[in-house]
């Protein structure tokens, strides 16, 4: 009888955990430190959104990774990034964050950052903070 009771409790615990896991919000931080990978990252994000339309995505950039979020930035085919960033931000609630330390170190005025991107004090600190909040970490 004790064995059956133990098994039933284990089954109940497993069912409860499974239900909680299904209700958990999917949150991901994409960390971009090299803008030559921006097109890859944006394609990954689009694919991610197709597979999980309700996912919450935050793109954190620092170092050379901020370049695609600057006014006038274009990919290797000459296509501007701003339209893609705006579309992902507006339609899919994707957030883009730019490191203020990088802007300062590289003497880039904050006005050069695309309006759909938010400036944060530190890109690496932001990526770490989001992980502590339960975001999965992806680096393209």
């Amino acid at each position: 009888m004790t064995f059956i009771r133990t098994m039933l409790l284990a089954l109940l615990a497993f069912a409860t955990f499974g239900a909680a896991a299904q209700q958990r919000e999917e949150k991901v931080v994409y960390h971009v430190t090299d803008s030559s990978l921006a097109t890859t990252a944006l394609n990954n994000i689009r694919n991610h959104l197709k597979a999980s339309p309700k996912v919450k995505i935050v793109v954190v950039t620092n170092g050379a990774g901020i370049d695609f979020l600057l006014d006038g930035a274009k990919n290797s085919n000459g296509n501007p990034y701003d339209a893609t960033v705006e579309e992902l931000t507006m339609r899919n609630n994707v957030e883009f964050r730019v490191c203020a330390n990088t802007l300062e170190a590289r003497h880039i005025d904050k006005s050069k950052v695309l309006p759909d991107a938010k400036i944060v004090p530190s890109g690496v600190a932001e990526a770490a903070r989001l992980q502590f909040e339960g975001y999965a970490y992806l680096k393209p």
Side-chain angles (χ1 to χ4, degrees):
M1 187 68 166
T2 304
F3 176 74
I4 293 173
R5 187 172 37 210
T6 302
M7 292 305 291
L8 286 173
L9 286 173
L11 184 59
L12 178 63
F14 181 75
T16 303
F17 174 75
Q22 287 178 348
Q23 293 174 0
R24 200 164 80 184
E25 180 182 31
E26 184 180 354
K27 304 182 294 184
V28 179
V29 56
Y30 280 78
H31 189 193
V32 180
T33 59
D34 181 350
S35 279
S36 70
L37 299 174
T39 298
T40 299
L42 294 170
N43 288 337
N44 287 346
I45 290 166
R46 282 190 179 118
N47 290 336
H48 198 149
L49 289 163
K50 284 179 190 173
S52 299
K54 294 182 180 182
V55 64
K56 181 172 183 172
I57 296 176
V58 178
V59 181
V60 176
T61 64
N62 62 285
I66 73 164
D67 294 350
F68 82 101
L69 294 174
L70 299 177
D71 187 39
K74 297 179 181 180
N75 67 18
S76 60
N77 294 326
N79 298 317
Y81 285 109
D82 59 353
T84 302
V85 170
E86 181 179 5
E87 180 244 328
L88 288 170
T89 303
M90 299 301 279
R91 266 192 39 210
N92 299 295
N93 202 26
V94 175
E95 296 178 30
F96 291 85
R97 300 184 185 167
V98 174
C99 175
N101 288 334
T102 298
L103 293 173
E104 184 179 326
R106 293 178 54 193
H107 308 290
I108 299 171
D109 191 271
K110 292 178 182 183
S111 66
K112 299 291 183 192
V113 175
L114 295 179
D116 293 307
K118 175 184 173 187
I119 298 172
V120 295
S122 166
V124 293
E126 186 72 2
R129 185 184 67 74
L130 289 168
Q131 288 178 76
F132 285 122
E133 289 182 10
Y135 282 73
Y137 179 87
L138 295 176
K139 187 162 174 52

